[in-house]
Coordinates of all heavy atoms in Angstrom, one line a residue:
P160 N -4.0 -15.8 12.2 CA -4.8 -14.7 12.7 C -4.0 -13.5 13.1 O -4.4 -12.3 12.9 CB -5.5 -15.3 14.0 CG -4.7 -16.6 14.3 CD -4.1 -17.0 13.0
E161 N -2.8 -13.7 13.6 CA -1.9 -12.5 13.9 C -1.5 -11.8 12.6 O -1.3 -10.6 12.5 CB -0.7 -12.9 14.7 CG 0.3 -13.8 14.0 CD -0.1 -15.2 13.6 OE1 -1.0 -15.8 14.2 OE2 0.5 -15.9 12.7
G162 N -1.3 -12.6 11.5 CA -1.0 -12.0 10.2 C -2.1 -11.2 9.6 O -2.0 -10.1 9.1
Y163 N -3.3 -11.7 9.8 CA -4.5 -11.0 9.3 C -4.7 -9.7 10.1 O -5.0 -8.7 9.5 CB -5.8 -11.9 9.5 CG -7.0 -11.3 8.9 CD1 -7.3 -11.5 7.6 CD2 -7.9 -10.5 9.6 CE1 -8.5 -10.9 7.0 CE2 -9.0 -9.9 9.1 CZ -9.3 -10.1 7.7 OH -10.4 -9.5 7.2
E164 N -4.5 -9.8 11.4 CA -4.6 -8.5 12.2 C -3.6 -7.5 11.7 O -3.9 -6.3 11.6 CB -4.4 -8.9 13.7 CG -4.4 -7.7 14.6 CD -5.6 -6.8 14.5 OE1 -6.7 -7.3 14.3 OE2 -5.5 -5.6 14.7
F165 N -2.3 -8.0 11.5 CA -1.3 -7.0 11.0 C -1.6 -6.4 9.7 O -1.5 -5.2 9.6 CB 0.1 -7.8 11.0 CG 1.2 -7.0 10.5 CD1 2.0 -6.4 11.5 CD2 1.6 -6.7 9.2 CE1 3.1 -5.6 11.2 CE2 2.6 -6.0 8.9 CZ 3.4 -5.4 9.9
L166 N -2.0 -7.2 8.7 CA -2.3 -6.7 7.4 C -3.7 -6.0 7.3 O -4.0 -5.4 6.3 CB -2.2 -7.8 6.4 CG -0.8 -8.5 6.2 CD1 -0.9 -9.6 5.2 CD2 0.2 -7.4 5.7
S167 N -4.4 -6.0 8.4 CA -5.7 -5.3 8.5 C -5.5 -4.0 9.2 O -6.4 -3.1 9.2 CB -6.8 -6.1 9.3 OG -7.1 -7.2 8.6
S168 N -4.3 -3.8 9.8 CA -4.1 -2.6 10.7 C -3.0 -1.7 10.2 O -2.9 -0.6 10.5 CB -4.0 -3.0 12.2 OG -2.9 -3.8 12.3
E169 N -2.0 -2.3 9.5 CA -0.8 -1.6 9.1 C -1.0 -1.1 7.7 O -1.2 -1.8 6.8 CB 0.4 -2.4 9.2 CG 0.8 -2.9 10.6 CD 1.2 -1.7 11.5 OE1 1.7 -0.7 11.0 OE2 1.1 -1.9 12.8
A170 N -0.8 0.2 7.5 CA -0.9 0.8 6.2 C 0.4 0.6 5.4 O 1.5 0.8 5.9 CB -1.1 2.3 6.3
I171 N 0.2 -0.1 4.2 CA 1.4 -0.5 3.4 C 1.3 0.4 2.1 O 0.3 0.6 1.5 CB 1.2 -2.0 3.0 CG1 1.0 -2.8 4.2 CG2 2.4 -2.4 2.2 CD1 2.1 -2.8 5.2
P172 N 2.5 1.0 1.7 CA 2.5 1.8 0.6 C 2.5 1.0 -0.8 O 3.1 0.0 -0.9 CB 3.8 2.6 0.7 CG 4.7 1.7 1.5 CD 3.8 0.9 2.4
S173 N 1.8 1.6 -1.7 CA 1.7 1.1 -3.1 C 2.0 2.3 -4.0 O 1.6 3.4 -3.7 CB 0.4 0.5 -3.4 OG 0.1 -0.6 -2.6
E174 N 2.7 2.0 -5.1 CA 3.2 3.1 -6.0 C 3.2 2.8 -7.4 O 3.5 1.6 -7.8 CB 4.5 3.5 -5.5 CG 5.1 4.8 -6.0 CD 6.4 5.2 -5.3 OE1 7.1 4.3 -4.9 OE2 6.6 6.4 -5.2
F175 N 2.9 3.7 -8.3 CA 3.0 3.6 -9.7 C 3.8 4.9 -10.2 O 3.4 6.0 -9.9 CB 1.7 3.5 -10.4 CG 1.8 3.5 -11.9 CD1 2.1 2.3 -12.6 CD2 1.6 4.7 -12.6 CE1 2.2 2.3 -13.9 CE2 1.7 4.7 -14.0 CZ 2.0 3.5 -14.7
I176 N 4.9 4.7 -10.9 CA 5.7 5.8 -11.4 C 5.9 5.6 -12.9 O 6.3 4.5 -13.3 CB 7.0 5.9 -10.7 CG1 6.9 6.1 -9.2 CG2 7.8 7.1 -11.3 CD1 8.2 6.1 -8.5
E177 N 5.5 6.6 -13.7 CA 5.7 6.6 -15.1 C 5.9 8.1 -15.5 O 5.5 9.0 -14.8 CB 4.5 6.0 -15.8 CG 4.6 5.9 -17.3 CD 3.4 5.2 -17.9 OE1 3.4 3.9 -18.0 OE2 2.4 5.9 -18.2
E178 N 6.6 8.3 -16.6 CA 6.8 9.7 -17.0 C 5.5 10.4 -17.0 O 4.6 10.1 -17.6 CB 7.5 9.7 -18.4 CG 7.9 11.1 -18.8 CD 8.6 11.1 -20.1 OE1 9.3 10.1 -20.5 OE2 8.6 12.1 -20.8
G179 N 5.5 11.5 -16.2 CA 4.3 12.3 -16.1 C 3.2 11.9 -15.2 O 2.2 12.5 -14.9
K180 N 3.5 10.7 -14.5 CA 2.5 10.1 -13.6 C 3.2 9.6 -12.4 O 4.2 8.9 -12.5 CB 1.7 9.0 -14.2 CG 0.9 9.4 -15.4 CD 0.2 8.2 -16.0 CE -0.6 8.7 -17.2 NZ -1.0 7.5 -18.0
H181 N 2.7 9.9 -11.2 CA 3.2 9.3 -9.9 C 2.0 9.2 -9.0 O 1.5 10.1 -8.6 CB 4.3 10.2 -9.3 CG 4.9 9.6 -8.2 ND1 5.8 10.2 -7.4 CD2 4.8 8.3 -7.6 CE1 6.2 9.5 -6.4 NE2 5.6 8.3 -6.5
H182 N 1.7 7.9 -8.7 CA 0.5 7.7 -7.8 C 1.1 6.9 -6.6 O 1.9 5.9 -6.8 CB -0.5 6.8 -8.5 CG -1.1 7.5 -9.7 ND1 -1.9 8.6 -9.7 CD2 -0.9 7.2 -11.1 CE1 -2.2 8.9 -11.0 NE2 -1.6 8.1 -11.8
L183 N 0.7 7.3 -5.4 CA 1.1 6.7 -4.2 C 0.0 6.6 -3.2 O -0.8 7.6 -3.1 CB 2.3 7.4 -3.6 CG 2.8 7.0 -2.2 CD1 3.5 5.6 -2.4 CD2 3.8 8.0 -1.6
S184 N -0.2 5.5 -2.6 CA -1.3 5.3 -1.6 C -0.8 4.5 -0.5 O 0.0 3.6 -0.6 CB -2.5 4.6 -2.3 OG -3.5 4.4 -1.3
L185 N -1.3 4.8 0.7 CA -1.1 4.0 1.9 C -2.3 3.4 2.4 O -3.3 4.2 2.6 CB -0.5 5.0 3.0 CG 0.9 5.3 3.0 CD1 1.2 6.4 4.1 CD2 1.8 4.1 3.3
D186 N -2.4 2.1 2.5 CA -3.7 1.5 3.0 C -3.3 0.1 3.4 O -2.3 -0.5 3.1 CB -4.7 1.5 1.8 CG -6.1 1.6 2.4 OD1 -6.4 1.2 3.5 OD2 -7.0 2.1 1.6
T187 N -4.3 -0.5 4.1 CA -4.1 -1.9 4.5 C -4.4 -2.9 3.4 O -5.1 -2.6 2.5 CB -5.1 -2.2 5.7 OG1 -6.4 -1.9 5.3 CG2 -4.8 -1.3 6.9
V188 N -3.8 -4.1 3.5 CA -4.1 -5.1 2.5 C -5.5 -5.6 2.7 O -6.2 -5.8 1.7 CB -3.1 -6.3 2.7 CG1 -3.5 -7.4 1.8 CG2 -1.7 -5.8 2.5

């Protein structure tokens, strides 16, 4: 339950980088 609370409240970065493309988002799991 403490892990669920953590991953429901902390924004975690995700990223995709390729020539000419760079996407980045911060969101909870």
Side-chain angles (χ1 to χ4, degrees):
E161 68 290 340
Y163 187 87
E164 175 59 33
F165 184 94
L166 295 176
S167 295
S168 60
E169 296 293 337
I171 308 301
S173 296
E174 187 170 35
F175 176 82
I176 301 173
E177 183 176 271
E178 189 174 331
K180 296 177 184 167
H181 186 188
H182 303 288
L183 176 68
S184 178
L185 280 171
D186 214 331
T187 57
V188 173

